[in-house]
Amino acid sequence: MRALLKNLSHVLVIAALAATSCSKEEDASIEPFNKGSETAVTSSSTWEFYWAQTPVNSLISKTLPANVGNVSKNYVLYVPSTYNDNYNKWPLVIFLHGIGEMGTDLNKVKNVGLCRVVKGKQFVMVAPQCLSGWWNTSALNEFLKQIIPKFHVDPKRIYLTGLSMGGYGTWDWAENYASQFAAIVPISGGGDVNKACNLKTMPIWAFHNADDPTVSVNNSRDMVKAVKACGSTKIRYTENATGGHDAWTKAYADPNLYTWLLAQHK
């Protein structure tokens, strides 16, 4: 009897060790989905994995493995409080800051433009930071490629907006990579009129103030005119008589902008 119990004890120990080993192997296989606040979620209907988030309904700082050209590895993220409520893919808005927010202080990005009013909006927002120089569209495109897999993003509803230097960046990025975006909102910026026809089917809502002392309003006027000359029927333009360089505070405060934006699909 004692021999039987001893053998049984050995069997139980071996079984426990095997279970522990399997558990460790399973944990290792899903480890990338369990770092920080991110957890793997599987849709029972589509059997696809995506990154769940801890919704905070406010701005948080996130980090990529490394800088992407002159685009910092550190970026600002906003995730709605309802992000994990269903398996629907979310619209993604990329926000490009102006020259005053360039550098390594991410708090500057959090305190300008769309970042100031994004709370409560029903989309994921990512705001990269330019380290130096000017927005580089190739670097931005590589940055976006790293961002998309981290979130349950609808590839047909990726939007781009920016102010001042970011307004230039919005025109430029969309002109060179038009297929990436469902719509763009450039504010107080300008683009390359020679590439305007790349945007002839792009939904656009541009903003500028007529008395802008920093970036001439003619930059937006010329781009709007050039895009229309290519046959576009999807471009809107709002020009305020006054307001100086800051056309973005009024633009981002308008709920009609988000209604229009989120209605656009590729």
Side-chain angles (χ1 to χ4, degrees), residues 6-25:
K6 185 176 182 181
N7 289 336
L8 179 61
S9 175
H10 287 167
V11 170
L12 291 175
V13 169
I14 292 171
L17 289 173
T20 302
S21 176
C22 289
S23 175
K24 286 183 179 179
E25 288 178 3

Side-chain angles (χ1 to χ4, degrees), residues 164-226:
S164 191
M165 183 180 84
Y168 278 96
T170 298
W171 283 114
D172 191 26
W173 193 359
E175 284 185 306
N176 287 286
Y177 298 93
S179 63
Q180 295 276 33
F181 306 107
I184 64 170
V185 182
I187 304 176
S188 303
D192 184 349
V193 294
N194 296 313
K195 296 181 179 179
C197 288
N198 293 347
L199 301 174
K200 65 182 180 181
T201 61
M202 176 74 71
I204 303 169
W205 193 345
F207 294 82
H208 217 123
N209 291 334
D211 65 343
D212 189 332
T214 305
V215 177
S216 172
V217 70
N218 289 327
N219 286 277
S220 286
R221 290 174 180 172
D222 290 347
M223 280 302 301
V224 171
K225 181 180 178 180

Side-chain angles (χ1 to χ4, degrees), residues 22-99:
C22 289
S23 175
K24 286 183 179 179
E25 288 178 3
E26 290 172 359
D27 288 346
S29 69
I30 63 171
E31 185 182 356
F33 297 98
N34 290 285
K35 293 181 178 180
S37 62
E38 299 162 339
T39 305
V41 174
T42 306
S43 165
S44 59
S45 60
T46 62
W47 295 102
E48 65 180 352
F49 285 94
Y50 71 93
W51 294 86
Q53 301 291 324
T54 301
V56 292
N57 206 34
S58 62
L59 302 176
I60 57 175
S61 301
K62 299 289 283 185
T63 304
L64 293 175
N67 296 337
V68 186
N70 71 337
V71 177
S72 174
K73 63 183 179 181
N74 302 311
Y75 63 94
V76 177
L77 171 68
Y78 163 77
V79 175
S81 59
T82 53
Y83 181 87
N84 297 324
D85 287 357
N86 54 58
Y87 296 116
N88 294 333
K89 291 185 177 181
W90 281 86
L92 171 66
V93 178
I94 303 293
F95 168 67
L96 302 182
H97 64 72
I99 198 168

